[in-house]
Amino acid sequence: MFELQDAFARKFQYLRLSVTDVCNFKCQYCLPDGYMPDGRKTFLTLDEIRRITHAFAAMGTSKVRITGGEPSLRKDFTQIIETVADTPGIEKVAMTTNGYRMAKFAHEWRQAGLTAINVSVDSLDPRMFHQITGQNRFHEVMAGIDAAFVAGFEQVKVNAVLMRGLNDGDLDRFLAWIKDNPIQLRFIELMQTGEMDTLFERHHVRGALIKDILLQQGWSQKVKAHNDGPAEVFFHPDYQGEIGLIMPYSKDFCASCNRLRVSSLGKLHLCLFGDYGVDLRDLLSDDQDQAALQRRLREALADKKATHFLHQGHAGMTPNLASIGG
């Protein structure tokens, strides 16, 4: 029975589950000063992850994306994948990663039940990659993508945050890369997070500009599956790869919302751009609390808004992207 539906008839088949806010990269748009440790934090345990996943699956969720921070920094990451994948009703288990551990572990993760990988590659120029991420690991990440294909992943999704004056001139290079590679290249529009207004004003590029270029070059838009994410995906008969555009400032971006977020500290976030989280952790210590946990999820959905308020400059929780698995 499907129970995760809000007042606007949107159904939520997709859970983004953060398992840590630790990250070893220093991306300009997320953690420009690097990760700041906080010894007071205790991230979700395997049992808590199992209970969350079972509650969502019992209410109709079929896809879970494991995020961070950098989720593979967890020593039990392979066990996390197994725990999620073994949940009845979960059909897709994805991860979002900076890719630095993929070359070593892609096969192991595939065997554990991972079905999809998103990896961040903000530039195909190693020097620009280093400038944006704060890490000189371009070749390691590219080797990881190759390892994912060897491990049996039929497609790898590559995320690149568009930034004027940094990587906005890389479109032709990216297109050449995906011409003969089954990569879905996803350009993500830079978001105004409140703490980095200057970065936004200096580097924001409208995704609609890229969309216009693609349409002029003969790309066509695909129809979304029910548990797909927010990207508008385009294909071209001459390319093995695809292009995805994530444009949070576009008209009706929220109309097709189908995803909820749980942070690495056990809080439910109804929207990436919302102001607060609903604490779930008091209901995650015992299997007997499953009914109460599902009830809290249903009740929380009553507060989900029709849309975000980015256009009014309200960024909500986005200054804490790493902790809520943005």
Side-chain angles (χ1 to χ4, degrees), residues 54-310:
H54 274 257
F56 272 88
M59 301 176 77
T61 295
S62 59
K63 176 181 178 180
V64 176
R65 176 172 300 283
I66 307 169
T67 70
E70 172 48 44
S72 69
L73 289 175
R74 290 252 324 220
K75 293 180 180 179
D76 59 352
F77 182 62
T78 299
Q79 288 71 40
I80 291 173
I81 294 172
E82 290 174 339
T83 297
V84 174
D86 288 344
T87 304
I90 299 300
E91 301 167 359
K92 295 183 179 181
V93 182
M95 73 176 292
T96 297
T97 176
N98 60 31
Y100 94 106
R101 301 190 79 191
M102 281 173 53
K104 183 176 181 180
F105 290 104
H107 179 75
E108 178 179 306
W109 297 340
R110 178 75 174 172
Q111 294 298 110
L114 193 69
T115 61
I117 292 179
N118 285 33
V119 56
S120 296
V121 182
D122 290 308
S123 177
L124 294 179
D125 178 342
R127 290 170 299 179
M128 182 56 66
F129 180 94
H130 189 182
Q131 180 178 335
I132 294 173
T133 67
Q135 289 282 0
N136 187 20
R137 294 179 180 265
F138 173 79
H139 296 291
E140 292 174 55
V141 174
M142 297 300 282
I145 293 173
D146 291 339
F149 286 122
V150 172
F153 291 93
E154 295 181 0
Q155 183 189 66
V156 173
K157 294 180 179 179
V158 171
N159 297 337
V161 176
L162 279 174
M163 289 181 284
R164 185 173 63 247
L166 294 177
N167 64 359
D168 59 324
D170 279 6
L171 180 60
D172 288 343
R173 185 182 294 189
F174 274 121
L175 288 175
W177 182 42
I178 69 170
K179 188 172 181 64
D180 299 312
N181 291 293
I183 288 169
Q184 185 184 110
L185 178 64
R186 297 147 60 89
F187 289 118
I188 303 172
E189 200 168 333
L190 185 66
M191 293 175 287
Q192 191 168 10
T193 64
E195 292 187 353
M196 290 182 280
D197 288 348
T198 302
L199 181 81
F200 181 83
E201 292 169 5
R202 183 183 301 152
H203 297 300
H204 180 249
V205 179
R206 291 175 58 244
L209 297 176
I210 305 298
K211 181 175 181 177
D212 289 342
I213 292 172
L214 294 176
L215 294 175
Q216 291 167 12
Q217 294 182 355
W219 292 75
S220 302
Q221 189 166 349
K222 292 180 70 173
V223 177
K224 282 188 179 184
H226 70 91
N227 58 7
D228 280 347
E232 294 183 20
V233 178
F234 298 82
F235 68 95
H236 192 290
D238 297 335
Y239 287 77
Q240 281 195 43
E242 300 172 332
I243 298 285
L245 298 176
I246 299 178
M247 302 178 287
Y249 294 93
S250 63
K251 185 177 182 293
D252 297 329
F253 177 76
C254 299
S256 60
C257 183
N258 64 348
R259 59 208 171 279
L260 298 170
R261 288 172 167 79
V262 172
S263 77
S264 56
L265 301 179
K267 287 192 174 184
L268 171 70
H269 293 272
L270 301 175
C271 176
L272 177 61
F273 312 106
D275 285 316
Y276 65 94
V278 177
D279 198 5
L280 305 177
R281 209 151 194 185
D282 60 308
L283 297 177
L284 299 179
S285 60
D286 193 320
D287 290 348
Q288 301 302 314
D289 289 329
Q290 279 286 298
L293 177 58
Q294 293 176 35
R295 185 164 58 250
R296 187 170 295 175
L297 294 173
R298 278 194 301 270
E299 292 170 351
L301 269 177
D303 290 332
K304 186 165 174 63
K305 309 302 182 188
T307 182
H308 61 58
F309 300 98
L310 277 177

